[in-house]
Amino acid sequence: MNRAAETTARATGRDGLRVHARLDHRDVDLDLDLEPGQVLAVLGPNGAGKSTLLSLIAGLVRPDRGRVELEGRVLTDTASGEFVPAHARGVAMLSQQALLFPHLSVAENVAFAPRSRGETRSAARGIAEQWLREVEADELASRRPTQLSGGQAQRVAIARALAADPRLLLLDEPMAALDVGSAPAVRRLLRRILREEQRTAVLVTHDLLDALALADRVIVLESGRIVERGSVREVLTSPRSAFAARMAGVNLVSGTIEEPGILRTSWSTTLSGIGEAAVGSDAVALFRPGAVAVHLEPPPHASPRNVIAVTIAELDVHGATVRVRGVDHPDGSTGPAADVTAAAVADLDLAPGQHVYFVVKTQEMELHPALAPTARPTDI
Ligand SMILES: Nc1ncnc2c1ncn2[C@@H]1O[C@H](COP(=O)(O)OP(=O)(O)OP(=O)(O)O)[C@@H](O)[C@H]1O
């Protein structure tokens, strides 16, 4: 099959990835499907279970209960005892560090997987040359890994992963260890490889840019459970978890819907907004920092506006905009943020410790149902 035909088969062929796995001692319980040709970004705080998910898929960790399938092939099944070892899964992993074999040249590193699967020396060399060209690293072929920059080494690691002809790529924060100068070029390269070749991939990242540039779907993990899932756009425009809201740069306040369009927080602030959340249900109010006006006194005729009393925690300057951060809410959740102009900060003479009022129009306040209980019950 030529590359184009192979790509089409990859994208339209059989099932993609299915993971249904529980690991008791890490308290991880995950359940996800990914269509072939899609890239899934996995977001979440430290210790949420992101690396564990990759290890379960790669065959580095066995679940206590569960099943992992790739393109219709069972890789792990605790019910039947099936467990395909890591090297035979057709899964390639790319980590933060390139982890090239130090004693081999760049070309030999990339030729390693084709050689291991039985290609002749010259065929493996040809495959290595092709992938090094693909990642624009062909001129590095005869170098040793110690003679490469971080960005160059990561390009070579990408070529080495692809030369193994994987059915699935696992990317564990591939740009995290690169300096700001080389990360964009590697991100562009990955975007080209993932998107143009319609590869199926799972990408663990802490960087919103990676999710936006590379992924079709997003899951957010917290405490070993998937708390949000959807398209990148859905999750980042209407986040429901505190983590996704922070990543998306929106304010999130939790509470209960007291009457249609009114959310009451546990510290008895009421917020009026627009949205479908039902009376009596748990809900979140979302508003953008740019939609907040900062006042020194509560405005006398605030309706239909929301007035939130805030103590300023800090001021962060981003170009001509200043982000005014409030101290955490009484329930311990992240305090609200407002983006105002530097001129407004000067006029109001804002400073940390000061008591101010954040004012947000009702139309700018979105009310959404809160997340379902975090643990999706598993039936395995
Ligand atoms: N080798 C291990 N043995 C036992 N428990 C582990 C092991 N590795 C991770 N854990 C635990 O499993 C849970 C999930 O950890 P994991 O490393 O998957 O999180 P993560 O989301 O990748 O975090 P980070 O962003 O810090 O890398 C945590 O409670 C962690 O302490």
Side-chain angles (χ1 to χ4, degrees), residues 25-26 28 44-53 173 206:
H25 72 287
R26 296 195 196 177
V28 165
N46 291 332
K50 304 182 296 294
S51 305
T52 301
L53 170 63
E173 302 206 48
H206 277 105

Side-chain angles (χ1 to χ4, degrees), residues 167-203:
R167 315 312 301 162
L168 174 71
L169 275 173
L170 300 178
L171 308 167
D172 194 357
E173 302 206 48
M175 264 73 70
L178 300 181
D179 58 57
V180 287
S182 50
V186 173
R187 189 181 291 112
R188 271 199 306 279
L189 168 67
L190 278 175
R191 182 182 161 90
R192 179 159 61 75
I193 284 167
L194 295 175
R195 291 295 181 86
E196 285 180 13
E197 299 183 7
Q198 297 201 310
R199 286 183 176 271
T200 315
V202 179
L203 164 74

Side-chain angles (χ1 to χ4, degrees), residues 366-377:
E366 289 181 35
L367 303 180
H368 293 282
L371 292 165
T374 53
R376 270 176 41 137

Side-chain angles (χ1 to χ4, degrees), residues 288-308:
R288 308 214 157 260
V292 178
V294 178
H295 292 246
L296 296 179
E297 301 291 337
H301 302 295
S303 181
R305 290 159 191 263
N306 295 289
V307 180
I308 307 167

Side-chain angles (χ1 to χ4, degrees), residues 15-241:
D15 295 338
L17 173 70
R18 293 191 165 179
V19 180
H20 199 53
R22 189 181 167 84
L23 200 57
D24 293 328
H25 72 287
R26 296 195 196 177
D27 192 22
V28 165
D29 193 344
L30 301 168
D31 182 3
L32 65 95
D33 282 348
L34 183 64
E35 286 178 25
Q38 288 204 322
V39 179
L40 174 74
V42 183
L43 308 174
N46 291 332
K50 304 182 296 294
S51 305
T52 301
L53 170 63
L54 295 190
S55 300
L56 286 163
I57 299 169
L60 303 174
V61 164
R62 285 176 194 250
D64 293 304
R65 276 178 293 158
R67 193 176 159 91
V68 178
E69 265 180 54
L70 179 62
E71 295 185 349
R73 179 176 170 224
V74 176
L75 300 180
T76 301
D77 186 2
T78 52
S80 68
E82 182 85 47
F83 187 81
V84 177
H87 68 269
R89 293 193 162 211
V91 172
M93 173 103 93
L94 190 69
S95 318
Q96 280 186 30
Q97 307 297 338
L99 302 175
L100 300 172
F101 302 123
H103 57 291
L104 298 182
S105 70
V106 161
E108 287 163 345
N109 263 280
V110 181
F112 186 83
R115 276 297 275 160
S116 308
R117 66 167 182 260
E119 300 282 357
T120 63
R121 194 178 296 274
S122 74
R125 195 180 309 126
I127 293 168
E129 281 167 9
Q130 176 212 329
W131 283 114
L132 284 171
R133 264 198 309 281
E134 191 82 9
V135 302
E136 292 164 23
D138 34 349
E139 76 285 6
L140 306 173
S142 56
R143 292 209 196 163
R144 296 271 158 181
T146 50
Q147 298 169 312
L148 301 176
S149 70
Q152 288 170 334
Q154 203 57 317
R155 280 172 184 276
V156 174
I158 294 168
R160 186 177 62 168
L162 295 171
D165 198 20
R167 315 312 301 162
L168 174 71
L169 275 173
L170 300 178
L171 308 167
D172 194 357
E173 302 206 48
M175 264 73 70
L178 300 181
D179 58 57
V180 287
S182 50
V186 173
R187 189 181 291 112
R188 271 199 306 279
L189 168 67
L190 278 175
R191 182 182 161 90
R192 179 159 61 75
I193 284 167
L194 295 175
R195 291 295 181 86
E196 285 180 13
E197 299 183 7
Q198 297 201 310
R199 286 183 176 271
T200 315
V202 179
L203 164 74
V204 167
T205 182
H206 277 105
D207 189 338
L208 184 58
L209 258 185
D210 291 346
L212 288 170
L214 303 174
D216 307 286
R217 315 281 305 166
V218 176
I219 56 174
V220 179
L221 301 189
E222 277 178 14
S223 306
R225 306 289 186 279
I226 298 173
V227 296
E228 287 197 66
R229 61 179 91 214
S231 68
V232 177
R233 195 185 148 74
E234 278 160 9
V235 171
L236 294 178
T237 54
S238 281
R240 309 293 174 83
S241 65

